[in-house]
Structures are given as C-alpha cells and as structure tokens.
Amino acid sequence: HDHMKADNSLEYTQSMMDLGELHYKLGNMNQSQDIFMSALKQLLESNIGTDRNSMLMVAQCMHSLGAVHARCGEFDEAFRWYEEAVRRKNEIIKENRNSESINSYHFELGKTYNALAALQTMRGGLQWRDAMSMFQLAERHQLHGYLNDDDNFLEMEGNVVTKNIVEKLTPHHVQSIVNIRFNVGKLLHQHAQYDDAIGTFRDALDLARLDVERMTTDDVQDFGASSAVSHPSPFERKNAVVELLVQIADVHASAQKYDE
C-alpha cells in the first residue's frame, strides 16, 4: 500500500514538473519557478532516501530552477542550482553504475553540464577554452553507451555520430546533442575561430537533418501523451535545421566570405 501511495505521489510530482516545463517554454517564469519549487519541496519532504527515481527528480527540479534563473538573468542563483544538480546527478551515477538506466543518468548529467557551460560563458566565469571542455564533457555523458570506449569523441574533429547511432536515440536526445554543438559553435564564433565554428555547426546540421529524415507524421503520438513537454515537435526539429543554416551564414559573413 505504501509503495502504491509513493508511486502515485511521484506521478503527481512528475505532472507538476511537466507543467513547470510547459510554463518555462511559454515564457511564464514566475509560474514555472513556483511549480518547480513546490515539486522540489514535496520531493524533499517525502523522505526519498535512496529511491533512484525520486533522487533524479530532485536533481531535475534543481536543474530546471537553474534554467529559470538563467533565463531571468539571475546568473549567480542559476549557478548554485546547476552546481547542486551536477553534484546530485554524479552521486546517482556513482551509486548506480550497474543499473539498466545508467545511460539515462549520464544523459541527465550531460544536460546540466551543457547548461552550466552555457551559463558560465554568459556570466564570464570561465575562460572560453575551459567552457569548450565542459561542453565536450556534456556530450560525452549524453553519448554514454552509444559510442565505443576508445572512440575519441572528446575531440571535436572526431565528434561523428553515425546514422545508426541517431536511430537509437529519441528526438529529445538528438536535439539535446544538437544544442550542445550549437553552443560550441556560438562560442567558437564569438572568439573568431571561424573554421572550427563552421565545422561544428555543420556537424550539428548533419545530426539535425538525420533526425528530420527519420521523422514521420506519427512521431508525436508514438512518444505518448506527455510528448508535448518531453519531446520536440516536428516544427522544432525542422527549425533546428534552419537555425543552424543561419548560424553558418553568420560565421561566413564574420569571416568575410560573402559568396559562401
């Protein structure tokens, strides 16, 4: 009975988090923050102990609160939430190395490293090459279990994700990796590393195009009722291609390669 009650409580909390994410996407930052704070308080008061799902949800709430503060320009507060999310996600991985869900835990950690690196570049808290290393660490975690251990995917030149790998990933997963590479490309562009920036944006563009090519009209239904929150829409996936093409054009303009 207690187990069923706990499951129902987690389902309700997850629904709250989905609603908080929806408000975030709609730009309603106050509502989003209030909902994530309520969800976090509920999780912490429920004596989560060593329950992995609950522990991960706590870390996800903290990540989301970091995202809200970052979007509001409150960088110091965002940094504190992201740092705590990273700490807790690392603990989950350390304590569950043999779990069947280990890849999803690494994905979650990569998501927060990406956000933290992007935040640090905005607030000037990292040298840009250190930020690059953190973005690469984010991608390494997000691709955990999908590349061989000896693949040199920390080097941007070797950062190739094949069509076979893409087909194993959800649209959300692919778009998350595209977002990491988008952030890296922007960082390289800002520091006048034009050739590297274009190469990185092209890598991201190849991934985004592969994702669009496999897309069907039934994609949203296939991922369930919560897909509006959890998974990118067909429009978002196609728009990623357009955004990357614009970024490549911007870099060529900065490099004064106007014919490109």
Side-chain angles (χ1 to χ4, degrees):
H1 176 74
D2 288 343
H3 181 69
M4 290 179 61
K5 184 177 179 181
D7 284 347
N8 290 337
S9 177
L10 286 182
E11 286 180 11
Y12 175 73
T13 305
Q14 184 61 60
S15 296
M16 289 176 63
M17 292 168 64
D18 289 345
L19 181 60
E21 179 66 19
L22 187 57
H23 276 294
Y24 177 83
K25 289 185 174 182
L26 293 173
N28 304 326
M29 294 300 104
N30 288 337
Q31 294 93 324
S32 182
Q33 181 178 358
D34 289 345
I35 291 169
F36 281 120
M37 283 298 294
S38 296
L40 179 61
K41 183 179 179 181
Q42 183 171 319
L43 285 164
L44 293 176
E45 289 179 349
S46 65
N47 191 24
I48 59 176
T50 58
D51 179 71
R52 290 181 304 217
N53 290 336
S54 299
M55 291 170 66
L56 182 60
M57 288 169 71
V58 166
Q60 288 171 326
C61 279
M62 291 177 170
H63 172 102
S64 296
L65 286 164
V68 169
H69 284 291
R71 194 160 169 182
C72 293
E74 299 163 348
F75 296 151
D76 290 345
E77 193 67 19
F79 179 78
R80 285 190 285 270
W81 283 114
Y82 282 144
E83 281 272 272
E84 184 61 17
V86 164
R87 186 185 71 79
R88 288 175 179 264
K89 289 178 180 182
N90 269 312
E91 283 184 359
I92 293 170
I93 289 172
K94 184 178 179 181
E95 295 170 4
N96 298 278
R97 294 189 185 280
N98 298 321
S99 169
E100 293 180 356
S101 301
I102 191 64
N103 289 347
S104 65
Y105 300 148
H106 277 281
F107 172 83
E108 280 291 331
L109 180 57
K111 183 178 175 182
T112 304
Y113 273 130
N114 178 42
L116 187 56
L119 174 70
Q120 291 292 66
T121 59
M122 287 188 288
R123 74 200 290 252
L126 279 180
Q127 295 295 323
W128 75 274
R129 292 193 184 278
D130 293 333
M132 279 282 295
S133 296
M134 189 176 288
F135 281 129
Q136 291 166 349
L137 179 62
E139 181 161 321
R140 179 179 183 178
H141 280 289
Q142 296 229 318
L143 289 174
H144 182 273
Y146 295 99
L147 295 178
N148 296 327
D149 290 339
D150 58 352
D151 280 340
N152 191 19
F153 53 90
L154 283 183
E155 295 296 330
M156 296 312 293
E157 293 83 2
N159 238 349
V160 177
V161 180
T162 65
K163 184 175 181 179
N164 287 338
I165 292 173
V166 170
E167 289 173 350
K168 297 176 185 177
L169 306 177
T170 66
H172 178 65
H173 202 150
V174 173
Q175 290 301 317
S176 188
I177 296 169
V178 167
N179 181 255
I180 293 172
R181 296 187 178 187
F182 182 93
N183 288 337
V184 171
K186 291 283 285 184
L187 184 61
L188 289 165
H189 185 187
Q190 289 167 10
H191 291 274
Q193 306 294 307
Y194 300 133
D195 289 343
D196 288 341
I198 289 171
T200 302
F201 282 132
R202 288 194 184 281
D203 285 342
L205 180 61
D206 289 342
L207 271 182
R209 280 174 166 162
L210 283 173
D211 188 43
V212 169
E213 285 173 9
R214 68 173 182 165
M215 189 168 62
T216 69
T217 56
D218 296 327
D219 266 353
V220 174
Q221 291 89 335
D222 288 345
F223 290 107
S226 65
S227 60
V229 172
S230 302
H231 294 282
S233 68
F235 170 79
E236 289 173 312
R237 293 160 73 181
K238 291 177 181 177
N239 192 55
V241 173
V242 176
E243 287 288 331
L244 288 162
L245 288 169
V246 170
Q247 291 300 321
I248 291 170
D250 283 348
V251 178
H252 280 305
S254 296
Q256 298 184 344
K257 296 181 180 179
Y258 301 117
D259 291 341
E260 294 289 337

